[in-house]
Amino acid sequence: MMNILVCDDDKEIVEAIEIYLLQEGYQIFKAYDGEQAIEVLKKEDIHIALDTAGVGCGDYKEILSKIDLVLLDIKGIDREGFINVTQKDFFDKFMEFVKELNESNKEVWIRQVIIPGVNDNNEYIKELSQFIKTNIKNVTRVDFLPYHKMGLEK
């Protein structure tokens, strides 16, 4: 039997999804916000990974205390590169997250999307390597991902 956690702040939505999934034979865990979802996952001893670009909202220290692994998407290794890729100046916010991440001592997997004409060259890869060594602790894996256009509307 497969387990599924259904999480939404609308109780009726959770219950409707639960009815459908129970009929399909799934075991359901329910939560009505992120905090409850984490509690359920921890209670069931399910490993929690956070996939982030490090620029979300919330108390980073609190969030990091509850997860097991961070998949950190690198948008840029300096302000100019960050703005070039995202069209937003969130580099300081990203570095604030990195500081909290380092203090948390969580395992980190780096994920770098390779964008043709932007970061698909040896110079950038060397700079990325130096940035990681200098700024991010506990990195156990680095993945290079192919660029796609699915999120362009964001």
Side-chain angles (χ1 to χ4, degrees):
M1 176 182 315
M2 301 237 347
N3 301 321
I4 294 181
L5 169 66
V6 180
C7 180
D8 196 287
D9 60 355
D10 186 326
K11 195 172 187 173
E12 291 177 6
I13 289 174
V14 171
E15 290 172 359
I17 293 171
E18 176 187 29
I19 291 168
Y20 172 76
L21 292 173
L22 285 172
Q23 291 173 351
E24 296 295 316
Y26 294 99
Q27 178 178 347
I28 306 303
F29 298 100
K30 298 184 288 186
Y32 303 103
D33 61 37
E35 288 290 321
Q36 285 182 348
I38 288 171
E39 288 174 23
V40 169
L41 294 170
K42 286 292 186 188
K43 180 180 173 204
E44 297 299 322
D45 198 31
I46 297 171
H47 190 264
I48 303 172
L50 173 65
D51 183 353
T52 182
V55 295
C57 57
D59 181 346
Y60 296 147
K61 186 177 284 191
E62 179 70 20
I63 293 166
L64 290 167
S65 73
K66 297 180 180 192
I67 57 101
D68 302 300
L69 169 70
V70 175
L71 308 177
L72 183 60
D73 299 327
I74 303 291
K75 302 297 184 187
I77 57 174
D78 57 26
R79 184 175 312 286
E80 181 182 334
F82 206 94
I83 293 170
N84 186 39
V85 169
T86 67
Q87 305 302 305
K88 304 216 185 284
D89 187 2
F90 288 147
F91 189 70
D92 290 340
K93 195 167 193 172
F94 171 74
M95 292 307 294
E96 178 186 329
F97 177 81
V98 167
K99 179 180 180 277
E100 292 292 338
L101 177 59
N102 287 338
E103 290 176 8
S104 76
N105 286 314
K106 298 295 178 179
E107 180 182 3
V108 180
W109 292 3
I110 298 294
R111 298 173 357 137
Q112 174 67 71
V113 174
I114 300 301
I115 305 169
V118 175
N119 61 6
D120 61 342
N121 57 71
N122 289 339
E123 180 181 339
Y124 178 81
I125 299 304
K126 288 177 186 174
E127 290 172 356
L128 172 66
S129 176
Q130 188 59 42
F131 177 82
I132 293 168
K133 287 178 192 175
T134 303
N135 293 287
I136 307 171
K137 293 173 31 179
N138 301 318
V139 175
T140 61
R141 179 174 168 165
V142 177
D143 293 326
F144 295 99
L145 307 174
Y147 175 74
H148 60 77
K149 296 181 179 182
M150 291 187 333
L152 283 179
E153 290 78 38
K154 288 167 69 176

